[in-house]
Amino acid sequence: MAISRNDLVAALASKAGTSKAEADAVLSSFSEILLDSVAKGEKVSIPGILSVERVARAARTGRNPSTGETIDIPAGFGVKVSVGSRLKAAAK
C-alpha cells in the first residue's frame, strides 16, 4: 500500500506538532528545492535516508523492439536515487 500526499502531510503535521497547512507548505518547498537542485546538477543528500543526483547518459545505439531497426539515442540526463543505511535497515 502506498502513502498518499494527504496522508504524508497529516503524518508530518502530527509528528512535528504543526498544522496540516504548515506541513503541506514545508513538503511543497522541499519538493521545489529538490527539483531545482537536481535540474542544476546538484546532489541532494539526506544522510542515512537517501541521496538524489542528476547523472549524464552517453549517446548510444538502441533497437526498436517491434521492427528490429537500429536507432540512435542521443545523450541526455537521468536521475540516480541512492538509498541510505537507515532506510535500508528499516526495509529489512
Side-chain angles (χ1 to χ4, degrees):
M1 185 170 137
I3 186 169
S4 70
R5 181 182 173 93
N6 288 337
D7 294 338
L8 181 58
V9 167
L12 282 170
S14 174
K15 200 78 151 162
T18 64
S19 70
K20 287 183 182 179
E22 290 170 332
D24 187 54
V26 169
L27 185 59
S28 294
S29 297
F30 174 73
S31 297
E32 289 176 25
I33 291 167
L34 181 65
L35 293 172
D36 290 344
S37 297
V38 170
K40 292 177 190 173
E42 300 171 342
K43 181 177 181 178
V44 177
S45 180
I46 303 172
I49 306 296
L50 60 85
S51 64
V52 181
E53 63 184 311
R54 184 173 80 170
V55 293
R57 287 197 200 137
R60 61 195 187 280
T61 302
R63 190 167 300 276
N64 182 331
S66 55
T67 65
E69 175 188 2
T70 60
I71 55 173
D72 291 325
I73 301 170
F77 295 100
V79 176
K80 177 183 173 186
V81 178
S82 300
V83 179
S85 60
R86 289 177 45 203
L87 189 56
K88 284 181 187 177
K92 287 186 179 181

